[in-house]
């Protein structure tokens, strides 16, 4: 079977891979910029802490100078403090080194005019601990640290405040920013390469379809699945159900089958084998409890890749019923034509007798002809009480006689006026007789002619049916497959579908918890046993299960 193949189109808009790559590059650039800024901010904070600790080290070094300690403790400051503080400031590169007493008076400062002037903020080192932070002083914004100043005797004399200019921190930051920029550029380049590879993979995954095409295919698929009158089931390469429309759920009874394998949702049988591809061919007929289905399975491939399979299921229940009815009418027409021919011959014989004056012989011939048909009906009525079954057997006997086959009802047959399973009995007996008539009529005649034996017995526990013919019989090894849908040894005849009659009989028998067996070898013998019902009968079968008086579904 030729696989289904898809072709992809191209629209006027940019390709999906190009759009994905452009969007990912924009995202990478934005995230890289944000990361760069965050790194710069974090590095700035780290440099601030580093310079504050550097200022604190300078402040502690200054506070530990013996000259400053002695001058502040005994001399009250003086030029010594300014000289030592300025020397330390110039050596360390600090913005200022200010020695402050407990009253907040400056004793050193880079601006000599501020020496002896009080500071604006309180002396924080009175608590005996060091303090760091950022200070907006007279020399500008600086990283500031303040350390307590103790005298030689351990008395707290004041504090030393040291600041490192802010431009030093910014200069260090600017020197490190190119490294951050390089890292961000490398990360963006790696991300761009990954985005490009991802875009190519997505393109292969979507078979080159663009977003608009994918959306259009989805809309078309939904409209198609829910708009058609056929059941559709799709499978992935692993055999899992990926698509099932409402009609398929109704016909197959799948329910919630998405993501499951057929073995998980359907029992083993002809239906499952037709769906999973075990049964090959087109228009595979499958008989279920409620429907007569035609199943077709086609593999799906795209650019050499196997994507699974699509199965379509058509409901042929009504059509098969109509075709069977039509075939039955044709059979009845043939039978009536044959009877008309026989009746014409008899009328010619009767007219000839009258013409030659043999009136007594003509009368006896007419009486004998009338009694032959009535005798058949009376013989059937002695064993069968139900008029529908009587009509069926008389009609089948008449049709068989026109084809050179004799149907004999055994003497032990007995069926009441209102037997259980009546509709099913009519279908079972009608189909079995149809099969037997076809098989016997086309086989070479036996020593005692072409004959069919029918046994129909009703007891308190069961109903027993046996149909034996003198035809070629069932080939050895075929007794297990003879009841499968579509099994037949003969070609199609007219509009009737072969291979449904025995499958239908087998299904009806199983639904009534009965048994059906068939012998192998020449002269087929079908035996059916139906238990008497203990509860109310189930609803009657659909139209295609009813056997007509003259037609059927031969094997």
């Amino acid at each position: 079977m030729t696989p289904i193949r898809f072709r992809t189109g191209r629209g006027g808009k940019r390709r999906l891979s190009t759009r994905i790559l452009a969007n990912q590059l924009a995202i990478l650039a934005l995230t890289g910029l944000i990361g760069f800024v965050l790194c710069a901010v974090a590095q700035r904070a780290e440099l601030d802490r580093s310079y504050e600790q550097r200022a604190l080290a300078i402040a502690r070094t200054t506070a530990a100078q013996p000259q400053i300690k002695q001058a502040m403790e005994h001399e009250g400051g003086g030029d010594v403090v300014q000289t030592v503080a300025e020397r330390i400031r110039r050596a360390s590169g600090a913005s200022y080194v200010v020695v402050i007493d407990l009253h907040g008076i400056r004793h050193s400062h880079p601006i000599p005019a501020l020496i002896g002037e009080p500071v604006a903020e309180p002396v924080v080192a009175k608590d005996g601990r060091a303090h760091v932070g950022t200070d907006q002083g007279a020399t500008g914004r600086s990283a500031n640290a303040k350390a307590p100043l103790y005298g030689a005797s351990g008395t707290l004399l004041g504090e030393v405040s040291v600041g490192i200019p802010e431009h030093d921190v910014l200069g260090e930051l600017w020197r490190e920013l190119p490294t951050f920029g390089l890292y961000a550029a490398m990360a963006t380049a790696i991300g761009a390469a990954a985005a490009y590879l991802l875009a190519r993979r997505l393109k292969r995954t979507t078979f080159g379809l663009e977003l608009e095409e994918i959306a259009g295919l989805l809309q078309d698929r939904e409209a198609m699945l829910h708009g058609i009158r056929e059941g559709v089931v799709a499978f992935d390469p692993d055999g899992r159900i990926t698509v099932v429309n409402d009609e398929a759920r109704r016909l197959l009874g799948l329910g919630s089958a998405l993501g499951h394998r057929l073995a998980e949702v359907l029992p083993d049988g002809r239906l499952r084998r037709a769906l999973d591809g075990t049964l090959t061919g087109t228009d595979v007929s499958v008989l279920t409890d409620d429907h007569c289905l035609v199943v077709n399975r086609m593999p799906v491939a795209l650019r050499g890749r196997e994507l699974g399979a699509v199965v379509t299921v058509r409901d042929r229940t009504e059509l098969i019923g109509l075709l069977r009815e039509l075939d039955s009418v044709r059979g009845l027409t043939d039978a009536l034509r044959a009877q008309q021919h026989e009746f014409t011959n008899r009328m010619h014989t009767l007219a000839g007798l009258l013409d030659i004056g043999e009136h007594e012989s003509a009368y006896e011939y007419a009486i004998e002809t009338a009694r032959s048909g009535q005798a058949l009906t009376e013989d059937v009525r002695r064993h069968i009480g139900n008029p529908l079954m009587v009509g069926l057997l008389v009609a089948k006997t008449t049709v068989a006689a026109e084809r050179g086959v004799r149907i004999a009802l055994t003497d032990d047959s007995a069926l009441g006026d209102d037997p259980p399973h009546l509709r099913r009995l009519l279908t079972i007996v009608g189909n079995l007789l149809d099969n037997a008539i076809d098989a016997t009529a086309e086989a070479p005649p036996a020593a005692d002619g072409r004959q069919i034996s029918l046994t129909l017995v009703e007891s308190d526990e069961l109903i027993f049916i046996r149909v034996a013919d003198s035809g070629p019989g069932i080939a050895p090894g075929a007794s297990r497959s003879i009841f499968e849908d579509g099994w037949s040894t003969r070609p199609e005849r007219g509009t009737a579908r072969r291979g449904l009659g025995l499958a239908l009989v087998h299904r009806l028998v199983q639904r009534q918890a009965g048994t059906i067996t068939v012998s192998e070898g020449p002269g087929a013998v079908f035996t059916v046993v139906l238990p008497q019902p203990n509860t109310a009968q189930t609803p009657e079968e659909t139209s295609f299960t009813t056997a007509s008086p003259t037609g059927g579904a031969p094997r």
Side-chain angles (χ1 to χ4, degrees):
M1 186 176 294
T2 304
I4 299 174
R5 301 186 181 274
F6 295 111
R7 292 188 302 173
T8 60
R10 288 290 181 269
K13 297 184 178 180
R14 289 189 303 169
R15 293 186 302 174
L16 175 61
S17 57
T18 304
R19 280 182 280 177
I20 292 176
L21 181 60
N23 291 332
Q24 289 181 329
L25 288 177
I27 294 173
L28 287 172
L30 179 60
T31 54
L33 179 61
I34 294 174
F36 177 79
V37 172
L38 292 177
C39 287
V41 172
Q43 187 63 20
R44 169 63 186 272
E46 181 64 27
L47 288 175
D48 283 340
R49 288 191 295 271
S50 176
Y51 274 77
E52 287 169 358
Q53 293 300 316
R54 178 181 169 188
L56 179 60
I58 297 172
R60 285 175 174 171
T61 301
T62 304
Q65 291 294 319
Q67 295 172 321
I68 294 178
K69 287 184 176 183
Q70 183 177 1
M72 291 295 295
E73 185 176 13
H74 300 292
E75 302 175 6
D79 294 337
V80 175
V81 175
Q82 172 68 4
T83 302
V84 175
E86 282 298 300
R87 185 175 68 247
I88 295 175
R89 181 185 69 80
R90 287 190 295 269
S92 63
S95 176
Y96 58 84
V97 177
V98 180
V99 179
I100 306 169
D101 60 21
L102 293 176
H103 301 290
I105 303 301
R106 300 183 181 96
H107 291 267
S108 66
H109 199 279
I111 303 176
L114 296 179
I115 297 175
E117 297 295 329
V119 294
E121 65 275 1
V123 179
V124 296
K126 288 182 179 180
D127 58 2
R129 294 181 299 174
H131 297 267
V132 295
T134 302
D135 177 47
Q136 185 66 42
T139 59
R141 187 176 179 82
S142 304
N144 177 257
K146 295 178 181 180
L149 176 63
Y150 293 95
S153 60
T155 303
L156 181 62
L157 304 176
E159 67 181 13
V160 177
S161 178
V162 177
I164 297 178
E166 184 74 11
H167 60 80
D168 290 348
V169 180
L170 293 176
E172 184 68 23
L173 178 62
W174 280 109
R175 285 190 294 271
E176 295 185 5
L177 284 182
T179 303
F180 296 155
L182 178 61
Y183 292 156
M186 292 176 60
T188 302
I190 294 174
Y196 175 74
L197 295 177
L198 177 61
R200 292 193 59 184
R201 180 170 182 177
L202 287 175
K203 182 179 178 181
R204 290 195 303 270
T205 304
T206 58
F207 302 101
L209 294 175
E210 307 302 331
L211 289 177
E212 293 78 10
E213 293 173 327
I214 295 174
L217 286 177
L218 178 60
Q219 294 173 355
D220 294 342
R221 192 198 75 164
E222 292 300 315
M224 177 192 69
L225 288 179
H226 297 286
I228 61 177
R229 294 293 302 273
E230 293 186 353
V232 177
V233 184
F235 301 90
D236 64 11
D238 296 328
R240 297 187 180 276
I241 299 175
T242 56
V243 174
V244 54
N245 67 348
D246 296 337
E247 185 69 6
R249 295 180 193 274
R250 183 183 72 85
L251 296 176
L252 304 178
L254 292 178
S256 300
L258 292 177
H260 296 277
R261 300 179 185 274
L262 278 177
E264 300 172 359
V265 296
L266 286 179
D268 187 22
R270 181 175 175 85
L271 177 59
R272 197 173 87 184
R273 294 197 297 272
L275 293 176
D276 64 16
T278 304
L279 295 179
T280 59
T282 59
D283 292 341
V284 178
S285 297
V286 178
L287 192 66
T288 67
D289 290 342
D290 301 309
H291 306 283
C292 181
L293 306 176
V294 175
V295 179
N296 284 283
R297 178 185 172 99
M298 298 187 70
V300 180
L302 180 58
R303 295 183 179 176
R305 288 177 52 188
E306 296 296 330
L307 303 181
V310 173
V311 176
T312 58
V313 182
R314 284 176 288 169
D315 187 4
R316 299 288 295 274
T317 303
E318 296 183 2
L319 180 59
I320 291 297
L322 292 175
L323 292 177
R324 288 170 62 83
E325 290 294 334
L326 178 59
D327 195 66
S328 299
V329 171
R330 288 182 176 177
L332 179 60
T333 302
D334 294 338
L336 291 176
R337 186 179 297 109
Q339 288 181 347
Q340 180 186 8
H341 181 71
E342 179 66 20
F343 181 77
T344 301
N345 291 333
R346 291 177 180 179
M347 289 300 99
H348 289 165
T349 301
L350 185 61
L353 290 173
L354 293 174
D355 188 54
I356 64 177
E358 296 289 337
H359 299 88
E360 187 68 24
S361 298
Y363 176 76
E364 292 177 357
Y365 180 76
I367 294 298
E368 181 184 356
T369 301
R371 286 178 178 176
S372 62
Q374 185 177 3
L376 172 62
T377 303
E378 293 300 327
D379 182 64
V380 174
R381 281 188 177 276
R382 286 199 306 269
H383 301 279
I384 307 299
N386 184 265
L388 293 178
M389 185 60 73
V390 172
L392 175 68
L393 296 182
V394 171
K396 295 295 184 184
T397 302
T398 302
V399 172
E402 297 299 334
R403 301 182 64 182
V405 179
R406 178 175 176 270
I407 297 179
L409 191 64
T410 59
D411 294 336
D412 59 343
S413 298
L415 188 68
D417 295 337
D418 188 20
H421 318 300
L422 178 58
R423 293 290 298 277
R424 294 167 180 78
L425 279 176
L426 293 173
T427 300
I428 292 171
V429 173
N431 278 284
L432 292 179
L433 287 178
D434 285 337
N435 287 339
I437 292 171
D438 282 342
T440 306
E442 297 177 5
D448 53 352
R450 298 183 176 92
Q451 293 194 24
I452 297 174
S453 174
L454 171 63
T455 302
L456 190 58
V457 180
E458 178 186 4
S459 66
D460 295 335
E461 294 81 18
L462 52 86
I463 295 178
F464 178 85
I465 305 168
R466 174 178 290 158
V467 177
D469 61 58
S470 59
I474 306 301
S479 59
R480 301 188 65 178
S481 58
I482 191 174
F483 299 110
E484 291 187 357
D485 309 352
W487 190 94
S488 178
T489 59
R490 306 174 67 239
E492 302 289 341
R493 183 190 67 185
T495 57
R497 189 84 181 200
R498 295 285 183 182
L500 295 179
L502 290 179
L504 174 60
V505 170
H506 183 260
R507 191 172 297 274
L508 291 177
V509 172
Q510 281 191 327
R511 293 186 67 176
Q512 297 303 132
T515 60
I516 179 171
T517 57
V518 60
S519 65
E520 295 183 350
V525 179
F526 287 87
T527 304
V528 176
V529 178
L530 296 177
Q532 292 282 12
N534 297 323
T535 59
Q537 293 187 9
T538 57
E540 298 297 338
E541 305 301 320
T542 50
S543 60
F544 75 91
T545 65
T546 304
S548 66
T550 59
R555 59 178 176 265

